[in-house]
Amino acid sequence: MNLLPAKYGAIVYSSDIKALARFYIDLFSMRVARETPELISLVKDGFNIVIHTPPFDMPAAQFSAVKLFMTVDNLAAAREKAQQFGGKAFDDEWSNPIFTVCNIADSDGNVIQLREFSV
C-alpha cells in the first residue's frame, strides 16, 4: 500500500466521515488507502479523495464547495444508486461528442458531476 500523499485528488470535510466514505466506496467502488480517527483516504484508478473531519471550528461561510467529476458506466444506474446510498439525483443531462454528464449530490449534499463516455 502506498502511504505517500497523493499528488492529485480532493479533500472533502464531513461531520460523519465514515458515512460519507461508505457512500463513495459503495457508489464508485473506491478502496480505503488510509484511515485514522480524523480522516479516511479513498483511491481508485489514481484518483484520491480524503474525507476529513474539520480540523477546527470554522463558520460554514468559510468552507469552499468542492465539485468532483467521476466517470461511470451508466448514468441512470449511478443516479439510482446515489439515491439508494443517501444521495440525491438531478434530472438534467448535457452531452458532447465524447460524453454525457449529469449531476448528483452525495449524502452530505456535495455536488458531483457524473460522466458517461460515448467512445
Side-chain angles (χ1 to χ4, degrees):
M1 183 183 304
N2 183 2
L3 295 178
L4 294 175
K7 292 184 178 181
Y8 307 99
I11 295 173
V12 179
Y13 290 110
S14 175
S15 60
D16 188 347
I17 63 173
K18 289 189 181 289
L20 192 57
R22 177 59 42 206
F23 179 90
Y24 286 99
I25 290 166
D26 290 344
L27 186 58
F28 298 114
S29 302
M30 298 187 86
R31 68 176 179 76
V32 176
R34 182 171 180 230
E35 183 171 356
T36 71
E38 296 83 25
L39 69 87
I40 300 174
S41 178
L42 304 176
V43 295
K44 183 176 181 181
D45 300 331
F47 186 75
N48 178 230
I49 298 174
V50 179
I51 301 171
H52 204 300
T53 302
F56 49 86
D57 288 333
M58 180 183 290
Q62 292 183 20
F63 277 101
S64 297
V66 176
K67 184 174 183 179
L68 307 172
F69 65 89
M70 305 288 282
T71 299
V72 297
D73 292 331
N74 182 291
L75 291 179
R79 279 184 175 126
E80 185 176 320
K81 281 185 178 181
Q83 292 177 83
Q84 290 172 359
F85 300 139
K88 182 177 179 180
F90 302 105
D91 292 330
D92 295 335
E93 287 187 6
W94 304 267
S95 295
N96 65 35
I98 301 169
F99 54 78
T100 301
V101 301
C102 70
N103 288 325
I104 63 165
D106 67 21
S107 56
D108 265 12
N110 299 300
V111 176
I112 305 162
Q113 181 189 82
L114 300 179
R115 296 178 176 189
E116 181 181 328
F117 282 80
S118 308
V119 185

